[in-house]
Amino acid sequence: MVKPPLSQEEFLDTYGPTLHYAPPGGFSSVEDYDALVDTHCCFCGQQCGIKLKVKDNAIVGFEPRYDFPFNKGKLCPKGIKRYLQGSHPDRLLHPMRRTEHGYQQITWDEALTETVSKIQEIQAKYGRDSFAMLSGVSLTNEKSYLVGKFARLALQTANLDYNGRLCMVSAGAGNKKAYGIDRASNHWEDITDAKVIFIIGTNIAECFPITTDYIWRARDRGAKIIYADPRMVPMARTADLYLPLRCGSDSALLMSMLHVIIRDGLTDEAFIEAHTTGFGDVRAAVADATPEWAAEITGVPAAKIEQAARWYGEAETGMILHARGLEHQVKGVENVMSCANLALATGKIGKPGCGHSTITGQGNGQGGREHGHKCDQLPGNRDITNPEHRKYICEVWGVTDEELPGKGITAQEILNEIHEGKIKGLLSICFNPLVSLPDANFNREALNKLEHYAVIDFFLSETAQHADIVLPGSLQEEDEGTTTSGEGRVIKINAPVTPPGEARRDWEILLDIAGRLGRGKYFQFNNTQEIFNELRLASRGGTADYSGITWEKIVDTQGIFWPCPQTTDEGKTTMHIENLDDRHPGTPRLYEGGKFYHPDGKAHFNAVSWRESAEVVDDEYPIWFTTGRVVSQYLSGSQTRRIGPLVDQFPHPKLELHPRMAKQLKVQTDDWVTIQTRRGEVIIQANVVNTIRPDTVFMAYHWGGKESANLLTQRALDPISKIPEYKVSACRVRLATPEEQTEGERTQFLSSRTEKNLPAGYNLAERRKELRR
Amino acid sequence: MSDFRFFVDPIRCIGCKACMQACSECDTHKGKSMIHLEYIERGASTQTAPMVCMHCDLPTCAAVCPADAIKRTEDGVVQSSQAPRCIGCSNCVNACPFGVPRYYPEIDQMLKCDMCYDRTSVGKKPMCASVCPSEALFYGTLEEFQSRRGGKPQNSFQFGAQTITTKVFLVLPDGEMGLDMDVISHMDARFEPNAFDHLDPFAHLEPLPMEQGQTLRGRL
């Protein structure tokens, strides 16, 4: 049983989130630093370049990094204040064991011995797959690769999955089905050449802020912007055409746009003929998808759908950008394929100013979904069920096919099986499923059923509070490696500082556990560059081919776009890393000349038919509920909810609702409201704004505990990608009772601790001393 | 610095507050942001307005300062108040037509944006314009600005009877004539019921589904 040993308040008293505001030594010493180190932001998939100021082995501030071509100095608030994590008093500094009275500090040896003996005990009793691992895509490519290898060769379990399952998998599956490869089709610079940019289901200004600049640059050159979203988000405010579709209706809109494009003869027949297959089926599938039909479903006037289709179809060049808005659905993969159908039907792909890209949410959302910590994947974006792929990786790793586990189950399914009692043990790294997975009450029950749970993390996240053993890991700035940005650019992360206290680098912890499990011979790495070089070999010949990339080349060129394969005969056949060459320049734009990555060299149309979401509104729950992000918070908030200036921007989640709905509910801005779904309820304050559909409410999902949007969402999964349907639920809303309001105010009070009002038991002075590395 | 100009284009602003967070990193004002960013009317729009000091040619704040604590440099940058002189009276706070200066009771002093004088006087860009993701804040030459983008930079403003010219440019959409700030009438309009109804992008959708349990339909 892994029930948390402390109450929610006791956890807050000891482990935060505490709001932290100033660098070590305060602001008076900002201009006093030892070094300025080039690296990248640790948050979203844009991976902006940034310079970090270092003093006495701590990060004390930032400087804009003008030389990095993607962002040229630009940053969003998260990047600017990220340095406040490094010397944060909530940092985990020692291994800990759970006792009945809270967590007790223990030695590394004790922590690892106990973890390893529990792994062995559980696997001996219930079988290898009864111990699962959950990983995250904030990890570098090196760590992602290592986790994939660690789970399969050290834990020897099939059940490894990652939090990209909640993020990138619909796009990944859709891209693979359409194009045979999973990457944004172009480097971002191509956006500026587009004459029409069609943006659907993504709040670019808040989730990918620097991309705003690319879209404005296109607009300055005459581009038209079409924006489809249930909310009039900041970028949509200035769009040339705004399509206010209701959540879950994306594929109807996209089908109807294709219908108009075909009806009005705007297809590129020569391109379809030469470079694609399956257009006939798609043509038949959208034959009845008239704008009037789609208007009924989406709530977007038919004339606007016609307008959008014609603008996109008639333009010489055009880009489609989308993100979780249409991917976080049980139709996520179909929605992505519908976008691909539009791009392919009009031939707007593989040329400057033309493309179809998904916007990656997480820091290494792109690279992290390529190198093997997905349950069905091997390095190089290979398929774990493909005998040829398995054979090659077995050769690289020096194991037999029997020793390499098969396909496992996905993140939410792992939690489901824990709840069922099939999975008994769990190791997680940089993943906070209690906040980020849907139906939080169910997942809390599941975690309480585990026989053993070990966690590697740098803050005690809501999920980690259920752990038996806590292993303090490293922040991005404490470990060297590479990540791959949303545009497919492999970049170098530098490590200006070392971990504080007894915290260790994540990869060193994994190597230590592997050694203690008696599997050390497969993990002979002295540093992360050696891990990268093995990744190069392992990815060679896969679709995500990194074999021609070296760390040195990345630094020289400000990033390399994969695929970057071997050029020499020896490089293509060698099993010795030192014989790999680095002559290939990389591939900023995919599909040039109509070259796609399916075995037949063509792109594939995929027919999609309209179906409803898993849960729709009814008499009992008449309001659509959808979730998303705000600009100053990141994912489950484990990091950003501890950074004072970012919390001040958005201290607590608020429920956005339209004035017309508010009038009906008799709710005004800042009133306390209770939102209920079939899974649970949340009490938060209202924000009455006319920038959301009148039948829909919106809540950001970055908060845990009683402020968690995922208390309300459901565990319905896309049948192909297994992504949960966060974006579409049915709810009801009412004014909160006085008792509920008191509870809500108490929740807010508890999650707003600053260093000035900490209880004595927190030992702030002691922690600060230990943070000095 | 003299060839470089500062442009503010609120249409591009996405309200992310990167400018404020970057501004607060400067050690001359210790974690406080000298740039302000506010929603114009969040109930009706996501439009936000970033406000840097406009660096007036004849700064009203300096004109009303009884202690002569606000100085303008030769290159046209109006500095924050000088600590030994500032008496914390807030005359400048009340007088500035752009609402820029702020009084900080904890130090009994007015502080305001000085266009990152520590950076711009040595050829660097100001923090806020360096980080702004959408280039709503842009620092460069006029030629650079005009070669990259549209819009009409303007640095002359009419507040009632007072004409003010500034070092900082506000970018108006092409075709806009000028800015006559009738602040009072705008404030009156805000209190009219339904003042912003015409801005509702969802006006075509009806009825609400709250009682019938039916989905919302477009008026087709």
Side-chain angles (χ1 to χ4, degrees):
Chain A
M1 289 295 282
V2 195
K3 266 205 163 128
L6 299 173
S7 72
Q8 200 56 41
E9 284 179 48
E10 288 168 322
F11 268 120
L12 286 164
D13 286 348
T14 323
Y15 301 105
T18 307
L19 306 192
H20 180 59
Y21 285 89
F27 279 103
S28 45
S29 59
V30 168
E31 291 313 307
D32 169 28
Y33 53 88
D34 309 331
L36 208 51
V37 178
D38 283 1
T39 186
H40 293 267
C41 180
C42 59
F43 293 125
C44 84
Q46 297 179 117
Q47 292 290 283
C48 295
I50 186 171
K51 289 176 186 282
L52 295 178
K53 292 176 180 172
V54 185
K55 182 174 170 56
D56 299 335
N57 201 14
I59 297 180
V60 296
F62 92 106
E63 270 291 320
R65 182 177 163 191
Y66 300 105
D67 68 334
F68 187 64
F70 176 79
N71 61 310
K72 302 185 186 74
K74 297 179 175 65
L75 286 167
C76 88
K78 296 189 289 291
I80 292 164
K81 294 292 184 181
R82 60 75 71 92
Y83 76 90
L84 289 170
Q85 300 178 99
S87 302
H88 196 294
D90 287 350
R91 270 299 292 272
L92 296 172
L93 300 169
H94 305 283
M96 299 190 299
R97 176 194 290 129
R98 188 176 57 89
T99 68
E100 282 181 16
H101 312 293
Y103 281 104
Q104 172 197 24
Q105 186 180 322
I106 52 174
T107 65
W108 269 104
D109 187 53
E110 287 173 301
L112 294 171
T113 303
E114 185 164 332
T115 301
V116 166
S117 71
K118 286 286 182 186
I119 293 169
Q120 289 167 331
E121 190 183 309
I122 288 171
Q123 288 189 325
K125 203 165 158 189
Y126 306 105
R128 293 223 182 274
D129 292 345
S130 66
F131 203 97
M133 184 165 180
L134 287 170
S135 172
V137 279
S138 50
L139 299 177
T140 56
N141 292 324
E142 291 77 2
K143 290 195 250 183
S144 304
Y145 171 81
L146 183 69
V147 166
K149 188 175 179 181
F150 170 87
R152 285 163 185 129
L153 299 191
L155 292 178
Q156 301 175 73
T157 179
N159 290 328
L160 157 75
D161 205 40
Y162 77 136
N163 63 13
R165 185 67 56 192
L166 329 177
C167 184
M168 303 313 314
V169 282
S170 291
N175 287 342
K176 274 184 169 176
K177 280 179 175 289
Y179 311 119
I181 191 170
D182 171 23
R183 199 202 93 183
S185 60
N186 314 57
H187 60 149
W188 252 223
E189 205 56 43
D190 266 3
I191 294 173
T192 62
D193 290 329
K195 291 279 174 264
V196 167
I197 302 174
F198 176 43
I199 302 165
I200 176 164
T202 171
N203 182 359
I204 285 180
E206 295 197 74
C207 308
F208 236 54
I210 280 63
T211 300
T212 312
D213 174 53
Y214 288 82
I215 291 165
W216 272 106
R217 277 156 57 197
R219 184 188 305 224
D220 286 335
R221 299 160 76 171
K224 285 194 170 81
I225 312 297
I226 306 167
Y227 215 109
D229 202 279
R231 297 194 302 149
M232 196 181 238
V233 290
M235 271 309 283
R237 189 190 75 239
T238 53
D240 299 280
L241 181 61
Y242 170 60
L243 310 176
L245 85 171
R246 74 131 165 108
C247 48
S249 69
D250 311 71
S251 57
L253 174 77
L254 295 163
M255 285 166 68
S256 177
M257 283 174 67
L258 187 56
H259 171 96
V260 173
I261 282 167
I262 293 170
R263 184 195 71 194
D264 295 355
L266 299 172
T267 50
D268 183 342
E269 293 296 331
F271 178 87
I272 293 170
E273 180 62 34
H275 302 298
T276 69
T277 64
F279 183 57
D281 292 345
V282 169
R283 183 198 299 266
V286 300
D288 298 328
T290 62
E292 292 71 24
W293 166 83
E296 276 283 320
I297 295 168
T298 60
V300 179
K304 284 195 172 188
I305 299 176
E306 297 244 0
Q307 180 80 77
R310 274 200 296 275
W311 275 5
Y312 180 74
E314 288 167 0
E316 185 189 338
T317 55
M319 272 276 180
I320 300 176
L321 298 173
H322 56 72
R324 305 305 82 72
L326 57 72
E327 296 160 22
H328 268 166
Q329 294 181 27
V330 294
K331 298 167 290 182
V333 178
E334 292 174 13
N335 291 337
V336 175
M337 293 191 308
S338 296
C339 288
N341 291 343
L342 277 178
L344 292 171
T346 53
K348 288 190 175 60
I349 191 120
K351 293 182 287 196
C354 289
H356 163 211
S357 296
T358 186
I359 284 171
T360 44
Q362 301 187 69
N364 198 21
Q366 182 64 54
R369 69 188 203 248
E370 295 160 3
H371 297 297
H373 59 166
K374 284 165 83 166
C375 66
D376 55 353
Q377 188 199 55
L378 291 171
N381 211 338
R382 287 181 163 89
D383 178 358
I384 203 162
T385 59
N386 178 318
E388 284 299 308
H389 292 184
R390 290 176 66 86
K391 184 167 172 281
Y392 178 71
I393 295 300
C394 285
E395 194 179 352
V396 174
W397 286 354
V399 293
T400 63
D401 192 67
E402 293 71 44
E403 290 175 287
L404 183 63
K407 184 178 171 179
I409 52 175
T410 64
Q412 182 60 59
E413 291 169 321
I414 286 176
L415 267 294
N416 294 354
E417 292 221 343
I418 293 171
H419 199 283
E420 284 173 41
K422 289 183 185 166
I423 290 176
K424 300 288 189 182
L426 180 67
L427 170 66
S428 77
I429 176 168
C430 296
F431 187 3
N432 190 6
L434 200 53
V435 178
S436 54
L437 280 175
D439 199 355
N441 288 328
F442 173 89
N443 295 320
R444 186 175 295 108
E445 281 174 24
L447 288 171
N448 289 341
K449 294 182 176 186
L450 281 166
E451 286 189 17
H452 183 78
Y453 177 28
V455 72
I456 303 172
D457 218 328
F458 41 79
F459 291 126
L460 198 75
S461 71
E462 285 77 0
T463 312
Q465 292 172 6
H466 288 254
D468 292 290
I469 294 287
V470 176
L471 306 169
S474 51
L475 283 167
Q476 184 235 34
E477 57 263 36
E478 292 160 4
D479 201 357
E480 213 180 359
T482 61
T483 60
T484 307
S485 76
E487 47 175 2
R489 187 195 299 257
V490 184
I491 51 170
K492 178 75 176 28
I493 306 295
N494 292 318
V497 293
T498 55
E502 288 189 277
R504 294 172 65 187
R505 294 183 181 92
D506 298 334
W507 63 275
E508 291 172 334
I509 300 171
L510 291 174
L511 257 53
D512 206 337
I513 297 174
R516 286 162 185 260
L517 284 164
R519 310 287 286 175
K521 66 173 177 177
Y522 299 111
F523 299 92
Q524 298 296 311
F525 301 113
N526 296 305
N527 55 51
T528 44
Q529 188 161 12
E530 290 180 12
I531 303 176
F532 182 78
N533 284 333
E534 188 178 291
L535 179 159
R536 290 173 63 198
L537 190 65
S539 72
R540 181 186 59 189
T543 49
D545 192 331
Y546 282 38
S547 59
I549 303 176
T550 60
W551 275 16
E552 293 75 18
K553 193 163 124 183
I554 293 170
V555 174
D556 289 346
T557 58
Q558 298 278 31
I560 303 280
F561 293 87
W562 71 265
C564 183
Q566 287 301 295
T567 58
T568 61
D569 288 344
E570 186 186 26
K572 289 171 189 168
T573 54
T574 183
M575 289 311 275
H576 298 286
I577 289 157
E578 58 277 11
N579 295 338
L580 295 173
D581 69 85
D582 66 350
R583 294 180 203 169
H584 193 285
T587 318
R589 185 183 303 123
L590 297 174
Y591 322 129
E592 285 189 291
K595 177 184 159 294
F596 293 94
Y597 289 79
H598 285 297
D600 61 6
K602 296 191 171 190
H604 295 180
F605 279 97
N606 292 280
V608 170
S609 54
W610 162 250
R611 60 192 175 97
E612 261 300 357
S613 297
E615 185 177 63
V616 295
V617 293
D618 56 21
D619 287 355
E620 209 181 346
Y621 296 95
I623 300 168
W624 297 101
F625 175 79
T626 193
T627 67
R629 304 190 196 182
V630 295
V631 68
S632 77
Q633 297 281 353
Y634 181 66
L635 303 185
S636 77
S638 185
Q639 293 158 279
T640 47
R641 278 186 282 121
R642 288 177 159 85
I643 299 175
L646 298 181
V647 174
D648 291 350
Q649 264 186 252
F650 283 94
H652 303 282
K654 283 196 156 190
L655 187 78
E656 276 188 17
L657 72 166
H658 191 277
R660 279 162 63 194
M661 184 191 288
K663 207 169 183 175
Q664 231 175 355
L665 298 169
K666 301 187 174 49
V667 169
Q668 296 182 343
T669 291
D670 290 338
D671 282 354
W672 287 86
V673 290
T674 302
I675 312 115
Q676 293 169 315
T677 68
R678 291 182 175 85
R679 275 75 49 193
E681 68 172 40
V682 169
I683 303 154
I684 50 173
Q685 287 176 284
N687 193 18
V688 179
V689 295
N690 74 359
T691 50
I692 184 166
R693 282 174 59 102
D695 59 348
T696 306
V697 293
F698 167 88
M699 177 181 172
Y701 65 73
H702 310 286
W703 288 266
K706 291 174 179 172
E707 294 178 306
S708 173
N710 283 324
L711 290 164
L712 303 169
T713 49
Q714 41 160 354
R715 284 176 292 128
L717 304 180
D718 180 295
I720 299 167
S721 69
K722 308 287 183 173
I723 206 168
E725 188 157 50
Y726 293 100
K727 290 295 184 273
V728 192
S729 308
C731 74
R732 57 185 177 219
V733 180
R734 57 170 173 77
L735 264 173
T737 63
E739 295 75 29
E740 287 173 334
Q741 178 171 333
T742 306
E743 189 188 333
E745 284 166 350
R746 172 116 191 106
T747 303
Q748 284 201 357
F749 169 76
L750 286 174
S751 58
S752 312
R753 299 267 171 106
T754 66
E755 289 172 42
K756 287 181 183 142
N757 59 10
L758 285 167
Y762 186 88
N763 292 333
L764 181 62
E766 190 58 34
R767 292 189 193 205
R768 283 214 172 125
K769 211 184 303 174
E770 283 210 68
L771 279 164
R772 290 190 204 116
R773 297 166 174 87
Chain B
M1 179 169 168
S2 54
D3 285 346
F4 284 87
R5 298 178 184 194
F6 198 115
F7 301 87
V8 180
D9 187 350
I11 289 181
R12 290 187 182 230
C13 181
I14 53 173
C16 73
K17 299 192 179 173
C19 51
M20 289 173 64
Q21 302 287 16
C23 183
S24 72
E25 287 296 313
C26 173
D27 72 337
T28 58
H29 34 85
K30 313 264 183 292
K32 297 181 176 73
S33 172
M34 297 295 109
I35 181 172
H36 316 305
L37 188 147
E38 275 143 20
Y39 281 107
I40 303 292
E41 185 66 53
R42 180 62 190 96
S45 167
T46 53
Q47 176 71 63
T48 42
M51 198 68 231
V52 291
C53 175
M54 298 298 284
H55 300 285
C56 303
D57 294 339
L58 295 166
T60 309
C61 57
V64 300
C65 179
D68 197 18
I70 304 170
K71 301 292 186 187
R72 183 170 174 271
T73 62
E74 281 180 16
D75 48 8
V77 173
V78 182
Q79 298 287 334
S80 207
S81 75
Q82 295 180 349
R85 289 177 172 240
C86 178
I87 56 168
C89 69
S90 292
N91 266 9
C92 53
V93 176
N94 295 320
C96 171
F98 298 102
V100 169
R102 292 216 175 157
Y103 168 69
Y104 293 85
E106 65 273 27
I107 51 173
D108 189 25
Q109 192 191 341
M110 180 279 279
L111 296 176
K112 69 168 206 48
C113 153
D114 61 1
M115 211 191 271
C116 282
Y117 204 66
D118 56 331
R119 299 171 76 87
T120 49
S121 59
V122 295
K124 288 185 187 171
K125 285 182 175 185
M127 267 295 194
C128 58
S130 294
V131 300
C132 177
S134 60
E135 293 190 358
L137 305 170
F138 181 81
Y139 185 78
T141 63
L142 183 61
E143 294 70 35
E144 201 182 347
F145 178 90
Q146 287 169 333
S147 69
R148 290 160 64 106
R149 54 203 266 187
K152 200 171 115 186
Q154 163 123 1
N155 69 337
S156 173
F157 304 88
Q158 194 66 38
F159 289 92
Q162 187 185 18
T163 305
I164 291 180
T165 54
T166 59
K167 183 176 174 66
V168 172
F169 287 75
L170 189 71
V171 182
L172 302 189
D174 286 319
E176 285 286 329
M177 291 310 291
L179 281 179
D180 189 348
M181 308 276 188
D182 190 350
V183 179
I184 305 296
S185 73
H186 173 76
M187 288 175 73
D188 286 348
R190 282 175 49 170
F191 298 110
E192 287 171 18
N194 313 326
F196 295 101
D197 279 9
H198 64 289
L199 294 174
D200 186 354
F202 305 97
H204 68 285
L205 293 168
E206 63 171 40
L208 280 178
M210 308 292 289
E211 281 125 25
Q212 306 85 359
Q214 60 188 41
T215 53
L216 205 62
R217 301 273 180 228
R219 202 187 292 156
L220 308 172

